[in-house]
Amino acid sequence: MVTIRPATSADAEVAATVLAEAFRDDPAWSMSLPDPATRPQRLEAYYRRRVRRHPERVDIAEDSGRVVGALLFAAPVSGSIAAAVLRPVRRALRRLASTLPGGRGIRHELAVATLKPTEPHWYLGDIGASPAARGMGVGSALLTHFVDRADSSATSLAALEATSPGSRRLYERFGFEAVGQVPTRPGEASTVMVRRPA
């Protein structure tokens, strides 16, 4: 049976492996990391850093004590003065970086950001299951936990980016609705989706 628990920094290695495997061929990640030979190692390094730095923003799915999935999220940001000042500075830095060689991934991220809600919201960053656990309901268990957390908070608005038709169908079952698309590879696009309070 799949159970969900908060991550700790000790989960960094195994969560990074699971997420790197899940996103190895992802269209959006392919833009940021175009070399398929180095993408798995770079994804692992990225996810390892994220889980170590912010385990409080990660949920872990386990089956019989074995990690089989992970979900990265961001809680709603309050309307504090510091957040209001830092937000445009970060956007300006990202825009500058997007003009540099290899900036396609940053340009994609900026385009996705324009479709996200402007009010405080939960954001589902990445969700993945290990290949051996696919079809066991790992993604659904993680999503149920994420949606329940949002629904029990003061701000139940949530958003995410579906990078494949399959993930979009899964998110639709949980009440997420498409609000726009951002191109990825030729003939493909990510779908930004929002789940509004009931």
Side-chain angles (χ1 to χ4, degrees), residues 26 28 108 123-124 160-169 171 180-182 184 189-193:
D26 182 76
H108 177 85
Y123 189 73
L124 191 159
L160 54 80
E161 176 188 4
T163 58
S164 71
S167 63
R168 178 178 172 164
R169 286 189 297 275
Y171 300 139
Q181 292 193 315
V182 178
T184 53
S190 286
T191 305
V192 178
M193 306 181 79

Side-chain angles (χ1 to χ4, degrees), residues 58-124:
V58 182
D59 288 327
I60 297 293
E62 288 184 324
D63 181 45
S64 302
R66 182 175 55 103
V67 174
V68 292
L71 180 147
L72 278 61
F73 66 92
V77 177
S78 68
S80 71
I81 294 172
V85 170
L86 286 174
R87 200 173 297 122
V89 170
R90 285 188 187 127
R91 282 191 194 125
L93 289 172
R94 284 187 184 136
R95 280 193 185 93
L96 176 64
S98 74
T99 63
L100 301 173
R104 270 186 81 204
I106 296 169
R107 287 191 293 277
H108 177 85
E109 185 182 327
L110 289 169
V112 167
T114 65
L115 296 169
K116 291 181 188 177
T118 55
E119 58 265 53
H121 62 279
W122 293 88
Y123 189 73
L124 191 159

Side-chain angles (χ1 to χ4, degrees), residues 14-91:
V14 67
T17 299
V18 166
L19 290 165
E21 288 174 346
F23 286 96
R24 183 185 63 226
D25 298 318
D26 182 76
W29 272 115
S30 296
M31 290 189 318
S32 295
L33 304 171
D35 183 356
T38 61
R39 190 179 307 131
Q41 297 88 344
R42 293 180 71 187
L43 280 170
E44 275 198 50
Y46 167 78
Y47 287 121
R48 191 178 307 112
R49 277 192 311 276
R50 288 281 308 270
V51 178
R52 278 191 185 137
R53 288 182 186 165
H54 297 288
E56 73 281 2
R57 299 179 190 170
V58 182
D59 288 327
I60 297 293
E62 288 184 324
D63 181 45
S64 302
R66 182 175 55 103
V67 174
V68 292
L71 180 147
L72 278 61
F73 66 92
V77 177
S78 68
S80 71
I81 294 172
V85 170
L86 286 174
R87 200 173 297 122
V89 170
R90 285 188 187 127
R91 282 191 194 125

Side-chain angles (χ1 to χ4, degrees), residues 124-171:
L124 191 159
D126 294 308
I127 181 173
S130 67
R134 296 217 175 104
M136 290 175 44
V138 174
S140 291
L142 284 163
L143 271 169
T144 298
H145 188 76
F146 174 78
V147 165
D148 288 349
R149 178 191 289 123
D151 285 348
S152 66
S153 73
T155 304
S156 59
L157 180 66
L160 54 80
E161 176 188 4
T163 58
S164 71
S167 63
R168 178 178 172 164
R169 286 189 297 275
L170 174 64
Y171 300 139

